[in-house]
Amino acid sequence: MSKIDTKARHQFRRELKKAVKQVSRGTDWRSIEGGLYREASGWFVSARPSVHINAEKTDVRFEVKPMAVDPILWDILLMPENRNEPLSLRYNGAFVCQPPAFSILHVSEEGGTTPTAKRIMEVAGEQLSQIQAEMSVVEFLHRCRLGNNEIGAFQACTVCALIALGLDDDALNVARTEQSLGHSGGYRVGGLSFHELAKRWISGRLSAPQ
């Protein structure tokens, strides 16, 4: 693309962020950093638009995770105070469960930024309906396991989902196995990896008087 086109794409990205915020007003969706997020029936749902700079194309990544998993992660990482932070922390926080994509969809840019933002809102509503029809914590766990690669990209989500399901022994086994493979789980606090902290936290739960 020419230099002028690239500048135009950067401008489109900036204007789309403003348009998404504008069209989300008065709805159940909240906007931050050009994206959308909300809580719905025990799920945290987000839509993350991605404006391509080298092509006239905008994609939206939709993510969903149980509301229960982030508080479990924060307890494991010794950050229980994060439970008191705004809902937006689950969207853009550094220490949150990063789930696999529920879907990645192309959105037409026809008509400019405001029509594009309206289409993003429409697609977000459609995806929310699909999420509510299809998702359960068991299905979320299944998707996390399918999404894991050779470095265990979604193992923190996997461990926290197992705990949310009451499967502490299984979660402990995952943490032990992943640590033995040299995986950190994506987080490190006080020199300890997520899996080291998870083993300690889960073992404490299992040994606590019932």
Side-chain angles (χ1 to χ4, degrees):
M1 295 182 70
S2 68
K3 185 175 181 180
I4 294 176
D5 287 334
T6 301
K7 285 184 177 180
R9 295 304 294 164
H10 281 289
Q11 181 66 23
F12 185 90
R13 176 186 285 172
R14 288 192 293 269
E15 293 301 321
L16 183 61
K17 288 182 179 181
K18 296 176 184 177
V20 169
K21 184 174 183 178
Q22 179 66 37
V23 300
S24 68
R25 288 176 179 166
T27 73
D28 291 327
W29 292 95
R30 305 180 194 180
S31 179
I32 188 171
E33 299 173 355
L36 298 167
Y37 67 94
R38 61 171 292 177
E39 187 275 333
S41 303
W43 294 94
F44 180 81
V45 184
S46 61
R48 301 173 183 267
S50 175
V51 175
H52 294 240
I53 297 302
N54 294 317
E56 293 184 351
K57 180 181 178 182
T58 294
D59 296 322
V60 184
R61 176 186 176 98
F62 292 92
E63 296 178 351
V64 58
K65 56 185 173 180
M67 287 291 289
V69 295
D70 282 325
I72 292 170
L73 177 70
W74 296 329
D75 286 347
I76 289 172
L77 298 181
L78 308 178
M79 301 176 179
E81 66 278 3
N82 282 353
R83 293 169 176 265
N84 301 320
E85 294 298 318
L87 188 65
S88 60
L89 181 69
R90 299 173 190 248
Y91 180 94
N92 61 0
F95 294 95
V96 296
C97 284
Q98 302 290 349
F102 179 78
S103 61
I104 301 175
L105 302 177
H106 171 70
V107 176
S108 170
E109 297 180 349
E110 184 178 357
T113 53
T114 297
T116 301
K118 290 180 179 178
R119 282 189 284 272
I120 290 172
M121 285 289 296
E122 291 171 2
V123 175
E126 293 167 0
Q127 289 298 290
L128 176 60
S129 295
Q130 188 173 344
I131 286 166
Q132 291 176 320
E134 295 181 7
M135 290 298 292
S136 65
V137 180
V138 171
E139 174 63 19
F140 174 77
L141 174 61
H142 175 65
R143 287 170 177 255
C144 289
R145 284 174 159 162
L146 284 179
N148 277 315
N149 56 22
E150 65 276 5
I151 61 171
F154 302 111
Q155 284 298 350
C157 277
T158 300
V159 170
C160 292
L162 285 167
I163 295 169
L165 288 166
L167 302 173
D168 288 21
D169 286 318
D170 291 347
L172 182 58
N173 287 334
V174 170
R176 285 172 173 164
T177 299
E178 291 302 311
Q179 185 187 2
S180 71
L181 295 172
H183 298 161
S184 70
Y187 309 91
R188 191 171 291 276
V189 176
L192 297 176
S193 72
F194 166 79
H195 291 304
E196 291 174 291
L197 291 165
K199 287 196 310 177
R200 181 181 299 181
W201 188 83
I202 298 167
S203 296
R205 272 169 57 99
L206 291 173
S207 63
Q210 298 300 315

